[in-house]
Amino acid sequence: MLRLEIIETDITRLAVDAIVNAANESLLGGGGVDGAIHRAAGPELLAECRTLHGCPTGQARLTRGYKLPVRYVIHTVGPIWHGGNQGEPALLASCYRESLALAEQHGLQTIAFPAISCGVYGYPLDQAARIAVDTVAAHLQTSRNLQKVYLVCFGAATLAAYRQALSDCANLPPPSC
Ligand code: AR6
């Protein structure tokens, strides 16, 4: 079974154990997927986020899902792209790893990620897609709980970048991806 799946959809419609939010360090909402998640979850999500007092770039925090069809939202803060020499790749990989670690701690079986940092934060799509696919695939090699990790694309360009990254990654030995 392919435990890593690339799909094109609105992440707020997915009924999984947790969706990941591409947030900012305040955790108090914003545009893009962050705005969509807060709109769909309702004001209780913002109220819980206020109790967290922010989150540094590269880390992740967990809240309940409220009106979303998920148990949890995992909020992570991707790096802003400054050209690639300011630790962006390590920080982006850390977002995926920290989110997956929270999922494991809570015994989750299904999780969906948006393309963290690929919107307002300006991370080049092909490089971000490779980091997303490689980091998730590496995690799945040792994970026993997680049955499915969705990498959610919003638009044709993102989908193409992820498909390319997955086909490159398919060279790794199973069951990595
Ligand atoms: N479902 C799935 N993916 C989506 C959705 C959706 N409903 N909406 C947008 N995307 P962005 P970032 C995609 O800008 O670059 C916010 O203001 C989008 O097409 O949401 O990490 C935060 O508060 C893109 O591929 O996040 C931060 O301030 C991807 O999600 C800042 O933006 C990420 O785009 C974070 O910027």
Side-chain angles (χ1 to χ4, degrees), residues 9-11 22-24 29-34 36 115-121 152 154:
T9 189
D10 175 351
I11 203 167
N24 58 64
V33 71
D34 195 4
I116 300 163
S117 287
C118 291
V120 175
Y121 281 1
V152 178
F154 210 55

Side-chain angles (χ1 to χ4, degrees), residues 17-95:
D17 290 335
I19 58 171
V20 176
N21 181 17
N24 58 64
E25 288 190 336
S26 78
L27 295 186
L28 299 180
V33 71
D34 195 4
I37 286 172
H38 275 273
R39 274 194 301 279
E44 289 168 297
L45 178 62
L46 182 59
E48 184 175 355
C49 283
R50 283 191 200 286
T51 70
L52 300 175
H53 306 295
C55 175
T57 300
Q59 294 188 22
R61 301 285 185 270
L62 181 137
T63 67
R64 290 169 56 198
Y66 300 99
K67 290 182 181 153
L68 286 160
V70 296
R71 283 163 64 198
Y72 300 110
V73 178
I74 294 174
H75 307 261
T76 191
V77 184
I80 300 171
W81 180 255
H82 290 295
N85 294 319
Q86 296 190 31
E88 294 95 330
L91 287 166
L92 186 60
S94 173
C95 288

